[in-house]
Amino acid sequence: MAAISSSVSFASLHQASDRKLPFPGSFSNPTVRYGFRFQSPKLSSRMMVRCVAASSDLPPPVSETKLSFLKSYKRPIPSIYSSVLQELLVQQHLMRYKRTYQYDPVFALGFVTVYDQLMEGYPSNEDRDAIFRAYIQALKEDPEQYRTDSQKLEEWARAQTATSLVEFSSREGEIEDILKSISERAQGTVNFSYSRFFAIGLFRLLELANATEPTILDKLCAALNINKRSVDRDLDVYRNLLSKLVQAKELLKEYVDREKKKREERVESQKANETIAKCVGDIHFARQ
């Protein structure tokens, strides 16, 4: 099957690197590095324990996350989907292992929204769900939590108006408490890490609540202590991604239809040749 190339890209947040961070060498023995011999000072057992503990806190390299995904889902993925999934995985790995990262349902809703729109029309629903599980598990997170929290937020947003959506802080409820927690963390910026998926999650909430006035997004960002400029920028990238996905899928559909027609023509041609051969054989048999 000929490969179809696509220019689809989820923007260049960072250039991902697969390089592993260097681990500390032995402290008790001399080591040779770059042609020189060094004698490491003797350290107490307490300091040794601290060093070992620090090394265990290092995040895994991107290559480990990608390998975990490929090991979990071993079936081939069409290139139009695979290329975008791999890029998303690299970007989300970088988000996931930032020191300020903390999972929240709005982030989850943003990712689920992107994933479902990316994989819309995938040949198999079962494979689509299996890829989702492999993807999230490769990041050492819970795919069921992503789906469950996203569904709760969607159901909540459908029951909101533009006004009630923005005034979440004055009401009580499970989702309201989640949004209050995000607002508090975003204000302190200690345990909050803004990301593109978070912006898409906000957009999805507005969409489901039919909050179409531009000022509503301003008010929601202010209530959540989120930088509106960052949200606008990331939503522009998201819209551009969707536009490119539509174009790429149209190209893929045209290619699949064309190949299907070619196969059908080959089958018809083969049947015609078999019919002719049978007739010729019957004629020879009749003359004998």
Side-chain angles (χ1 to χ4, degrees):
M1 181 174 179
I4 294 182
S5 60
S6 168
S7 59
V8 177
S9 172
F10 192 65
S12 301
L13 291 176
H14 300 283
Q15 288 297 322
S17 171
D18 286 355
R19 294 175 297 178
K20 293 187 177 180
L21 295 172
F23 283 83
S26 170
F27 291 100
S28 58
N29 298 316
T31 59
V32 178
R33 293 183 182 176
Y34 310 110
F36 296 93
R37 181 176 294 275
F38 295 92
Q39 180 70 40
S40 301
K42 293 183 178 179
L43 301 180
S44 67
S45 60
R46 182 178 300 176
M47 293 182 70
M48 289 282 286
V49 170
R50 286 179 183 174
C51 291
V52 172
S55 67
S56 65
D57 291 338
L58 291 173
V62 175
S63 57
E64 184 176 311
T65 299
K66 293 172 72 175
L67 183 60
S68 176
F69 170 69
L70 294 174
K71 283 183 176 179
S72 182
Y73 187 82
K74 299 179 180 178
R75 300 186 64 181
I77 300 174
S79 60
I80 189 175
Y81 300 99
S82 179
S83 59
V84 184
L85 279 172
Q86 288 292 335
E87 185 175 351
L88 286 178
L89 186 60
V90 170
Q91 300 299 338
Q92 195 164 346
H93 171 98
L94 298 176
M95 300 173 196
R96 166 74 175 83
Y97 290 106
K98 286 182 68 174
R99 290 186 178 277
T100 54
Y101 173 81
Q102 181 174 322
Y103 169 88
D104 70 65
V106 177
F107 175 94
L109 175 61
F111 172 75
V112 168
T113 299
V114 170
Y115 181 86
D116 287 348
Q117 291 188 330
L118 166 64
M119 302 297 283
E120 184 180 10
Y122 198 77
S124 166
N125 290 337
E126 184 178 346
D127 286 342
R128 183 176 59 192
D129 293 340
I131 293 170
F132 179 85
R133 289 193 298 271
Y135 181 105
I136 298 299
Q137 288 170 351
L139 294 161
K140 303 186 188 307
E141 293 191 309
D142 183 0
E144 294 302 322
Q145 184 179 24
Y146 268 72
R147 284 293 184 189
T148 300
D149 287 346
S150 296
Q151 185 176 356
K152 286 181 180 179
L153 279 174
E154 287 178 340
E155 291 174 354
W156 177 83
R158 289 189 182 98
Q160 304 305 309
T161 63
T163 302
S164 65
L165 183 67
V166 172
E167 295 177 351
F168 64 85
S169 60
S170 63
R171 304 197 314 276
E172 298 296 326
E174 181 183 4
I175 305 302
E176 286 82 358
D177 290 344
I178 289 172
L179 297 178
K180 290 176 191 176
S181 174
I182 291 173
S183 177
E184 292 171 1
R185 289 189 290 112
Q187 188 174 27
T189 68
V190 177
N191 293 317
F192 180 80
S193 179
Y194 169 82
S195 70
R196 190 152 292 164
F197 289 133
F198 185 89
I200 295 168
L202 290 184
F203 180 78
R204 181 62 175 155
L205 291 177
L206 294 173
E207 186 179 46
L208 292 170
N210 291 317
T212 56
E213 295 179 18
T215 56
I216 300 301
L217 180 58
D218 293 349
K219 293 177 181 178
L220 183 58
C221 287
L224 289 168
N225 295 306
I226 303 298
N227 187 317
K228 171 67 163 40
R229 287 185 179 181
S230 297
V231 173
D232 285 338
R233 180 192 65 228
D234 291 335
L235 290 180
D236 285 342
V237 173
Y238 173 57
R239 295 185 188 101
N240 187 43
L241 168 69
L242 293 182
S243 176
K244 290 182 177 181
L245 277 175
V246 170
Q247 295 173 17
K249 287 181 179 181
E250 287 176 352
L251 288 174
L252 178 63
K253 185 178 184 301
E254 290 175 5
Y255 171 80
V256 171
D257 290 344
R258 189 164 58 248
E259 289 299 305
K260 182 180 178 181
K261 185 177 180 180
K262 287 180 180 179
R263 286 196 301 270
E264 290 174 349
E265 289 175 351
R266 285 196 296 268
V267 170
E268 291 299 325
S269 176
Q270 184 178 357
K271 287 182 178 179
N273 291 335
E274 289 174 355
T275 301
I276 293 172
K278 186 176 184 301
C279 289
V280 171
D282 290 344
I283 292 172
H284 281 297
F285 179 79
R287 287 179 177 177
Q288 291 177 357

Coordinates of all heavy atoms in Angstrom, one line a residue, residues 62-73 134 137-140:
V62 N 12.1 10.2 26.4 CA 11.0 10.1 25.5 C 10.9 8.8 24.8 O 9.9 8.2 24.6 CB 11.1 11.3 24.4 CG1 10.0 11.1 23.3 CG2 10.9 12.6 25.1
S63 N 12.1 8.3 24.5 CA 12.2 7.0 23.8 C 11.6 5.9 24.6 O 11.0 4.9 24.0 CB 13.7 6.7 23.5 OG 14.5 6.6 24.7
E64 N 11.7 5.9 25.9 CA 11.1 4.9 26.7 C 9.6 4.9 26.7 O 8.9 3.9 26.6 CB 11.5 5.1 28.2 CG 11.1 4.0 29.1 CD 11.6 4.1 30.5 OE1 12.8 4.3 30.7 OE2 10.8 4.1 31.5
T65 N 9.0 6.1 26.7 CA 7.5 6.3 26.5 C 7.1 5.8 25.2 O 6.1 5.1 25.1 CB 7.1 7.7 26.7 OG1 7.5 8.2 28.0 CG2 5.6 7.9 26.5
K66 N 7.8 6.1 24.1 CA 7.4 5.7 22.8 C 7.5 4.2 22.6 O 6.6 3.5 22.0 CB 8.3 6.4 21.7 CG 8.1 7.9 21.6 CD 9.1 8.6 20.8 CE 8.9 8.3 19.3 NZ 9.8 9.0 18.5
L67 N 8.6 3.6 23.2 CA 8.7 2.1 23.2 C 7.6 1.4 23.9 O 7.1 0.4 23.5 CB 10.1 1.8 23.7 CG 10.5 0.3 23.7 CD1 10.5 -0.2 22.2 CD2 11.8 0.0 24.3
S68 N 7.2 2.0 25.1 CA 6.2 1.4 25.9 C 4.9 1.4 25.1 O 4.1 0.4 25.1 CB 6.0 2.2 27.2 OG 4.9 1.7 27.9
F69 N 4.6 2.4 24.3 CA 3.4 2.5 23.5 C 3.4 1.4 22.4 O 2.4 0.7 22.2 CB 3.2 3.9 22.9 CG 2.2 4.0 21.8 CD1 0.8 3.9 22.2 CD2 2.5 4.2 20.5 CE1 -0.2 4.0 21.2 CE2 1.5 4.2 19.5 CZ 0.2 4.2 19.9
L70 N 4.6 1.3 21.7 CA 4.7 0.4 20.7 C 4.6 -1.1 21.1 O 4.1 -2.0 20.5 CB 6.0 0.6 19.9 CG 6.1 1.9 19.2 CD1 7.5 2.1 18.6 CD2 5.1 2.0 18.0
K71 N 5.1 -1.3 22.4 CA 5.1 -2.7 22.9 C 3.6 -3.0 23.3 O 3.2 -4.2 23.2 CB 6.0 -2.8 24.2 CG 7.4 -2.9 23.8 CD 8.3 -3.1 25.1 CE 9.7 -3.3 24.8 NZ 10.5 -3.5 26.0
S72 N 2.9 -2.0 23.8 CA 1.5 -2.3 24.2 C 0.6 -2.4 23.1 O -0.4 -3.3 23.1 CB 1.1 -1.1 25.1 OG -0.2 -1.3 25.6
Y73 N 0.8 -1.7 22.0 CA -0.1 -1.8 20.8 C 0.8 -2.2 19.6 O 1.5 -1.3 19.1 CB -0.9 -0.5 20.5 CG -1.9 -0.7 19.4 CD1 -3.1 -1.3 19.7 CD2 -1.6 -0.4 18.1 CE1 -4.0 -1.5 18.7 CE2 -2.5 -0.6 17.1 CZ -3.7 -1.2 17.4 OH -4.6 -1.4 16.4
A134 N -3.3 2.1 25.2 CA -1.8 2.0 25.1 C -1.1 3.3 25.2 O 0.0 3.5 25.9 CB -1.4 1.3 23.8
Q137 N -1.4 4.7 29.0 CA -0.6 3.8 29.8 C 0.9 4.0 29.6 O 1.7 3.9 30.5 CB -1.0 2.3 29.6 CG -2.4 2.0 30.2 CD -2.9 0.6 29.8 OE1 -2.3 0.0 29.0 NE2 -4.0 0.2 30.5
A138 N 1.3 4.3 28.4 CA 2.7 4.6 28.1 C 3.2 5.8 28.9 O 4.4 5.9 29.2 CB 2.9 4.8 26.6
L139 N 2.2 6.7 29.2 CA 2.6 7.9 30.0 C 2.4 7.6 31.5 O 2.5 8.6 32.3 CB 1.7 9.1 29.6 CG 1.9 9.6 28.2 CD1 0.7 10.4 27.7 CD2 3.1 10.4 28.1
K140 N 2.2 6.4 31.9 CA 2.0 5.9 33.3 C 0.8 6.6 33.9 O 0.8 7.1 35.1 CB 3.3 6.2 34.1 CG 4.5 5.4 33.5 CD 5.7 5.6 34.4 CE 6.9 5.0 33.7 NZ 6.8 3.7 33.2

